[in-house]
Amino acid sequence: MNKLILITLSGVAAMLLPSCNDVLGDLYDEPAATSEYGFVEVCTESKPGLIYINATDYTTWTYIDFENRRIDSLYVNDPAPADWSFAVHRYDTKTNNAKVIATTLTDINEARAWTDAGNVEGAGDIWTTDKIVTDMSTMMDGYLSYADSYYNPVLSGWLNVDTSTMPPEYTMSDKVYILLLPDGKRAAVKLADFMNSAGIKAYMSIQYVYPL
């Protein structure tokens, strides 16, 4: 069940009230229609693939299955599909019992040559009650709605959203992340962009290499 968790807005709320539509629009842009979603470029031995998803809806997880090249978008409280590798909610992520390593690589084309995975344990998911926001529209009323969910803090670091100033500042890590999947296979992912061509946020372009 979603929870309502109070947040303190204090002086920030007062500052935002006169122009909240302009400022908060940076947090939840209106989605724009497009039909080119999914595994839009398939990974080969010589080049990485590209996954493009619409993650604008705060109430859904988008599940990505490397093995079957399948994308499923489900309500945040619905059970996960039978087969999936990792999932995206806006910019947040979780995995299907994988471990995630943040490498020092910035070029995903170098991922196949990266050999440090055996020396690093990787970070698993954690349970959280205050990360997965399901409703931003009540921010000016002093609270947000959250879903209880697993969350991977390492992979979610691919994009930092700094809300200490308005409008928020978005900074991609530019890192390649290695997913150590529970079946023993590995995948590499890198966030290439978090906006579509119209500048609408939460349209996620994700480079991938699988199997690694």
Side-chain angles (χ1 to χ4, degrees):
M1 177 180 294
N2 289 0
K3 291 186 174 181
L4 298 183
I5 299 181
L6 295 179
I7 60 173
T8 303
L9 296 176
S10 61
V12 175
M15 177 183 71
L16 295 180
L17 279 172
S19 57
C20 63
N21 287 338
D22 293 336
V23 175
L24 296 183
D26 222 32
L27 286 172
Y28 49 98
D29 297 305
E30 290 297 322
T34 181
S35 58
E36 298 180 5
Y37 298 124
F39 285 76
V40 294
E41 295 179 15
V42 177
C43 172
T44 68
E45 290 188 3
S46 61
K47 70 178 184 67
L50 182 67
I51 299 165
Y52 184 55
I53 60 172
N54 176 355
T56 57
D57 191 341
Y58 279 91
T59 66
T60 63
W61 278 103
T62 300
Y63 292 88
I64 298 165
D65 177 9
F66 287 125
E67 188 69 23
N68 301 298
R69 294 202 296 269
R70 180 182 174 91
I71 306 289
D72 290 294
S73 292
L74 301 174
Y75 182 64
V76 288
N77 291 323
D78 285 350
D83 299 306
W84 61 287
S85 306
F86 77 107
V88 179
H89 167 274
R90 293 286 294 185
Y91 318 120
D92 307 311
T93 65
K94 64 180 178 180
T95 73
N96 190 6
N97 296 311
K99 302 286 188 179
V100 181
I101 300 168
T103 76
T104 58
L105 300 177
T106 58
D107 185 351
I108 199 166
N109 290 291
E110 299 175 358
R112 292 191 189 278
W114 192 75
T115 58
D116 293 341
N119 302 319
V120 183
E121 182 178 349
D125 291 9
I126 61 174
W127 185 253
T128 178
T129 60
D130 61 355
K131 290 289 187 185
I132 310 305
V133 178
T134 58
D135 188 356
M136 286 287 297
S137 66
T138 56
M139 173 182 278
M140 301 313 298
D141 296 324
Y143 67 92
L144 298 174
S145 298
Y146 293 87
D148 296 352
S149 178
Y150 282 101
Y151 165 87
N152 192 279
V154 172
L155 185 54
S156 298
W158 61 5
L159 180 69
N160 179 60
V161 183
D162 182 1
T163 57
S164 64
T165 61
M166 289 293 165
E169 293 185 3
Y170 297 78
T171 307
M172 292 191 296
S173 73
D174 203 33
K175 292 181 179 180
V176 175
Y177 296 85
I178 304 296
L179 277 64
L180 307 177
L181 303 170
D183 62 1
K185 294 181 180 179
R186 299 185 301 165
V189 297
K190 178 183 177 179
L191 181 62
D193 206 345
F194 61 97
M195 296 186 290
N196 65 6
S197 59
I200 307 299
K201 298 175 185 66
Y203 284 87
M204 310 289 275
S205 296
I206 304 164
Q207 293 179 308
Y208 80 96
V209 175
Y210 175 86
L212 188 60

